[in-house]
Amino acid sequence: MSVLIKGGKVVNADQSIFADVYCEGGLIKAIGQDLDVPSDAEVIDASGKLVMPGGIDPHTHMQLPFMGTVASEDFYSGTAAGLAGGTTMIIDFVIPNPQQPLMEAYQTWKDWAARSVCDYSFHVAITWWDDSVYQDMGTLVNQEGVNSFKHFMAYKNAIMAEDETLVNSFNRCLELGAMPTVHAENGELVDHLQKKLLKAGLTGPEAHPLSRPTEVEGEAANRAIRIAQSLGVPLYLVHVSCKEAVDEIARARHEGQRVYGECLAGHLELDDSVYRQSNWASAAAHVMSPPFRPKGHQEVLWKALQGGTLQTTATDHCCFCADQKANGKDDFTKIPNGTAGVEDRMMVLWDSGVNKGRLSESEFVAVTSTNSAKIFNLYPQKGCIAVGSDADIVIWDPTKTHTLSAKTHHQKIDFNIFEGRTVQGAPHITISQGNVVFKNGQLNVVEGAGRYIKRPAFPSIFEAVQKYNQSHAPVGIER
Ligand code: URP
Ligand code: ZN
Ligand code: ZN
């Protein structure tokens, strides 16, 4: 199938041009005016529209087994919802149980994800440590195209990585040229505060943010950054939610450390008042970690995104319906943590970012697609409109209005954290691998059409860091 997108403004992270885009065989084949294309190509009129790289959501959890239940969104429904919102690739997380072999968990997630309707890739979580983990990290990087490993510094007695594991795994990442990433919250403090709040009789969702104050995130962010600094390895912090963590990233970057930060559409927009509403189910529906923050932190995140301290946006899409959230009816620590957004992210970012003058069109592309592609080594296969890149494209209508709602969204969850919000700027058409998969509000997807995308390691940057470390080691000491 071939497609000619005519008359649109092509917006990349570095420039915008008025040009037609021709796609064939799943790739972008030509960009320009008066292109010579086959007469049977499907022609799409994109006048008045923007032709942008499809969104990349670098943080999703489809059908995650978590906190005694399983996330309601599967890889089929979740990737379809993403396409309806202009997101054409996700990076999900393989999360082995402690003591579970990494390769076994990886295979399980690969089997689940085979139903995806758009391209996908995986970060793999390091939840425990022994020699087999060390070996499997090598296999994952060198044979399976996994170039990033996740470390949960929270969720004690479950998937939390102790400092010893962080050190071992970060060091292994350095050897392999892989990117360590962290969920930065001090799990010991969370555990302590949860027990204290329960003892004081605070059992409802309003206690959730009290058990995870911003210092808890700031401390963990600083610890992870300092460990990475000591070892000379880059670091990526997922779902940065507060000033304390932003400040640590800004300081590290200012000192020349290679540290990256991601923020979520939810954290940019919502504050912690959502936990204090009288409707239990609605308050519980917002329980995620880190929690939504007191007013003021949202603007700090926006400024950090505008200024480059944070580079990417994601959703942490992890859906639990009301009956699942009800597991924590008498104890907030048992409410499954997670909120949705894979379908909403691009529209929310456009509406609050571009429409409010915080982001230019090109900056929007950078923070929704290109920067993730670069950081996770998908660029230029993904993240740009260029000859030879995958034809993953969103044709964006900046005038279209859309009301975000659980009643109409495609996400498999009975709640929308942006419920009732009318945004301006929405996908007109989404194209995945050169195929029109979303048009006129209708999805046209094929189960299993999504491909697993391998992401090679980053030997060059890492070799340079290793060389630097060796040359700067004190005499007589080998690092
Ligand atoms: O509350 C959240 N974020 N749930 C998903 C797991 C995680 O921490 O990313
Ligand atoms: Zn997390
Ligand atoms: Zn997550």
Side-chain angles (χ1 to χ4, degrees):
M1 183 183 176
S2 62
V3 173
L4 177 66
I5 306 166
K6 267 189 89 64
K9 179 158 122 184
V10 175
V11 182
N12 273 314
D14 59 345
Q15 62 167 341
S16 303
I17 51 164
F18 284 93
D20 301 343
V21 179
Y22 176 64
C23 311
E24 189 188 286
L27 299 176
I28 296 170
K29 290 284 186 183
I31 300 172
Q33 304 290 351
D34 305 320
L35 298 174
D36 189 16
V37 305
S39 56
D40 61 354
E42 178 183 349
V43 178
I44 296 172
D45 176 12
S47 44
K49 315 282 189 300
L50 310 177
V51 180
M52 305 190 287
I56 299 172
D57 189 335
H59 190 157
T60 66
H61 300 281
M62 304 303 172
Q63 64 192 78
L64 175 69
F66 193 49
M67 296 183 72
T69 183
V70 178
S72 55
E73 187 89 275
D74 57 51
F75 278 89
Y76 172 72
S77 59
T79 49
L83 289 173
T87 286
T88 53
M89 176 160 183
I90 61 166
I91 313 182
D92 207 272
F93 292 82
V94 173
I95 307 184
N97 292 319
Q99 311 307 319
Q100 183 184 22
L102 264 56
M103 298 311 294
E104 181 186 293
Y106 172 72
Q107 196 49 54
T108 301
W109 258 264
K110 269 202 104 172
D111 292 346
W112 290 338
R115 297 183 61 213
S116 298
V117 300
C118 73
D119 288 351
Y120 57 94
S121 194
F122 291 121
H123 314 278
V124 174
I126 303 302
T127 54
W128 62 294
W129 191 261
D130 78 352
D131 282 349
S132 78
V133 175
Y134 177 92
Q135 294 299 340
D136 284 352
M137 287 176 76
T139 307
L140 286 164
V141 171
N142 296 321
Q143 291 172 28
E144 301 300 327
V146 171
N147 75 7
S148 46
F149 292 94
K150 169 80 172 284
H151 308 81
F152 291 92
M153 298 172 78
Y155 306 124
K156 190 181 168 186
N157 300 324
I159 51 176
M160 184 170 100
E162 306 287 345
D163 281 4
E164 187 182 0
T165 298
L166 297 183
V167 172
N168 285 327
S169 176
F170 283 20
N171 210 33
R172 181 63 170 144
C173 286
L174 181 62
E175 287 175 5
L176 292 167
M179 178 73 76
T181 78
V182 289
H183 166 138
E185 283 186 303
N186 182 318
E188 288 296 339
L189 273 174
V190 172
D191 184 62
H192 171 78
L193 293 171
Q194 284 179 333
K195 286 180 178 143
K196 197 167 148 183
L197 287 157
L198 286 174
K199 209 167 159 197
L202 281 157
T203 59
E206 71 283 2
H208 177 68
L210 305 178
S211 70
R212 312 178 95 101
T214 54
E215 307 86 287
V216 161
E217 184 176 340
E219 187 284 324
N222 177 49
R223 184 158 33 103
I225 288 169
R226 289 300 191 188
I227 292 172
Q229 181 187 32
S230 305
L231 299 173
V233 65
L235 180 68
Y236 178 95
L237 291 93
V238 307
H239 52 42
V240 174
S241 74
C242 63
K243 180 178 186 307
E244 286 77 351
V246 166
D247 285 350
E248 297 298 345
I249 297 170
R251 179 196 50 70
R253 288 176 66 85
H254 188 67
E255 290 171 9
Q257 208 181 326
R258 198 177 288 276
V259 175
Y260 304 102
E262 162 195 288
C263 61
L264 308 183
H267 283 138
L268 285 165
E269 295 299 292
L270 305 183
D271 64 62
D272 63 352
S273 60
V274 295
Y275 301 114
R276 294 190 293 273
Q277 53 192 304
S278 54
N279 182 320
W280 189 95
S282 184
H286 291 89
V287 167
M288 68 154 311
S289 297
F292 299 115
R293 297 304 194 183
K295 274 196 179 38
H297 290 273
Q298 301 73 31
E299 203 49 46
V300 171
L301 296 180
W302 271 112
K303 292 213 162 77
L305 195 60
Q306 291 171 270
T309 300
L310 303 177
Q311 298 76 32
T312 64
T313 60
T315 58
D316 199 1
H317 186 81
C318 188
C319 296
F320 298 108
C321 291
D323 58 332
Q324 298 173 291
K325 294 277 183 182
N327 292 350
K329 195 82 192 115
D330 304 316
D331 177 351
F332 74 92
T333 68
K334 297 196 166 59
I335 300 171
N337 286 202
T339 54
V342 72
E343 184 172 351
D344 311 313
R345 176 185 65 128
M346 303 272 283
M347 291 179 271
V348 168
L349 260 289
W350 182 274
D351 195 48
S352 284
V354 181
N355 291 347
K356 289 198 175 158
R358 288 168 165 141
L359 300 174
S360 69
E361 293 165 0
S362 282
E363 286 163 351
F364 170 82
V365 169
V367 302
T368 57
S369 181
T370 313
N371 292 350
S372 284
K374 288 182 176 173
I375 291 169
F376 293 114
N377 218 5
L378 292 160
Y379 189 85
Q381 181 184 358
K382 307 283 189 190
C384 60
I385 305 287
V387 173
S389 294
D390 285 354
D392 281 3
I393 297 171
V394 60
I395 303 175
W396 194 262
D397 183 348
T399 65
K400 182 172 166 182
T401 56
H402 179 75
T403 301
L404 306 170
S405 173
K407 293 189 196 89
T408 50
H409 70 201
H410 298 82
Q411 302 169 128
K412 217 197 257 185
I413 180 171
D414 54 6
F415 196 87
N416 190 309
I417 57 170
F418 306 109
E419 184 66 37
R421 173 170 172 178
T422 298
V423 291
Q424 184 184 324
H428 172 56
I429 289 177
T430 309
I431 295 175
S432 170
Q433 297 177 50
N435 299 310
V436 173
V437 288
F438 180 73
K439 187 179 175 181
N440 297 328
Q442 298 297 315
L443 280 162
N444 181 16
V445 295
V446 177
E447 182 167 335
R451 303 166 300 177
Y452 173 68
I453 305 294
K454 288 190 171 184
R455 298 178 295 114
F458 304 91
S460 53
I461 296 171
F462 284 72
E463 272 163 20
V465 172
Q466 273 176 325
K467 250 188 218 143
Y468 176 89
N469 282 346
Q470 276 154 17
S471 64
H472 285 72
V475 178
I477 295 176
E478 267 186 35
R479 296 178 84 160

